[in-house]
Amino acid sequence: MGEELKLFRTWSSRYALRVVHALKIKDLEYETIFEDIKNKSTSLLEYNSIHKKVPVLVHNGKPICESLVILEYIDEIWKQSPLLPQDPYEKAMARFWAKFGDDKKRSRGSYCSSSREPQVLRRAANGKKFFGGETIGYLDIAFGWVANLISILEEIADLKLVDAEIFPLLSAWMNNFSDHPVINECWPPRDKMVEKFKAMREPYVEKVA
Ligand SMILES: N[C@@H](CCC(=O)N[C@@H](CS)C(=O)NCC(=O)O)C(=O)O
């Protein structure tokens, strides 16, 4: 029997993007259902009745929610191009940093407002091409959206947020990840992202002016 794989996402969701990247790295075919967050489909509400959020991956009719949980599920079912390290300690560390990143995001409101996050990324990457070594893995995917968002914010603010001279390791990782051919083709449309973040910034700019 053929596999049925559906991804409920929005065009811009950073969490859904993790799943898009993982499916792409595993070279899996799937159907995409684009949701409107202001008018969620009944399928989404049923599949993720607890949080009512994207992403949801539906595998042969069974829904899996929460992006990091989905990444682990994908990695367990499809063994090609492994995402999580095999070593139990390394695996625990990857899960720790991914959770740390998501917890910070929730507690701070804005990821990039904290000067500690780049330090965290820098320590986790530790000079390797990717967090896990030579190939893209779970932690790269978990943090990957940061690479895209930072460059968009830099464009909007006309400001260098991650200077290669100050953050050489982080900057190298961001480039390695963003420019990877498999990852590169999955980013949300840049002009739409710029437009979205400019609109989000507008009320604050007006207040300051
Ligand atoms: N912890 C969740 C977060 C998912 C999430 O926040 N999704 C947002 C889009 S980026 C969403 O669906 N929001 C809809 C809502 O809050 O009603 C995950 O990792 O999947």
Side-chain angles (χ1 to χ4, degrees):
M1 196 188 89
E3 302 269 1
E4 194 201 27
L5 209 48
K6 290 184 191 174
L7 175 63
F8 288 74
R9 61 172 292 194
T10 61
W11 71 270
S12 66
S13 167
R14 63 191 66 171
Y15 301 104
L17 198 56
R18 290 173 169 169
V19 182
V20 171
H21 282 150
L23 292 170
K24 185 80 190 165
I25 283 174
K26 297 277 184 181
D27 200 18
L28 297 169
E29 289 200 5
Y30 61 98
E31 184 190 337
T32 304
I33 295 102
F34 282 101
E35 287 285 334
D36 173 0
I37 285 304
K38 295 198 179 91
N39 184 21
K40 296 169 188 166
S41 70
T42 29
S43 299
L44 176 67
L45 297 175
E46 273 170 26
Y47 282 139
N48 191 353
S49 57
I50 306 284
H51 296 302
K52 302 175 175 56
K53 291 182 177 188
V54 293
V56 176
L57 184 71
V58 184
H59 182 209
N60 294 335
K62 291 183 289 185
I64 307 111
C65 306
E66 285 295 313
S67 58
L68 295 177
V69 175
I70 299 173
L71 292 192
E72 294 216 22
Y73 180 85
I74 291 174
D75 207 29
E76 273 191 58
I77 301 278
W78 293 280
K79 302 289 183 196
Q80 67 273 27
S81 308
L83 301 177
L84 273 157
Q86 296 303 304
D87 176 77
Y89 184 75
E90 293 300 319
K91 196 185 287 189
M93 286 302 98
R95 288 176 173 139
F96 170 86
W97 285 115
K99 183 173 181 316
F100 178 91
D102 277 8
D103 289 349
K104 281 284 161 210
K105 166 76 181 60
R106 265 191 291 276
S107 66
R108 298 282 176 105
S110 167
Y111 204 88
C112 293
S113 65
S114 162
S115 61
R116 279 183 57 212
E117 265 82 57
Q119 291 179 38
V120 168
L121 283 173
R122 198 158 47 109
R123 273 173 48 196
N126 201 21
K128 291 171 289 201
K129 189 166 182 196
F130 298 108
F131 289 124
E134 285 307 299
T135 54
I136 289 178
Y138 169 86
L139 204 48
D140 301 290
I141 293 175
F143 278 116
W145 60 271
V146 178
N148 188 240
L149 183 62
I150 286 180
S151 84
I152 285 163
L153 296 180
E154 284 179 337
E155 179 179 331
I156 294 173
D158 194 18
L159 186 76
K160 202 74 194 146
L161 295 172
V162 178
D163 192 308
E165 283 189 15
I166 303 170
F167 299 114
L169 299 179
L170 175 60
S171 172
W173 170 78
M174 279 174 50
N175 291 335
N176 290 339
F177 186 78
S178 307
D179 299 343
H180 189 285
V182 167
I183 297 298
N184 197 10
E185 63 181 67
C186 300
W187 293 123
R190 194 177 170 90
D191 48 345
K192 267 180 94 178
M193 287 295 274
V194 168
E195 205 179 298
K196 178 184 155 115
F197 279 93
K198 267 191 184 160
M200 282 166 71
R201 194 182 69 145
E202 213 84 322
Y204 303 100
V205 174
E206 274 169 20
K207 252 186 227 164
V208 174

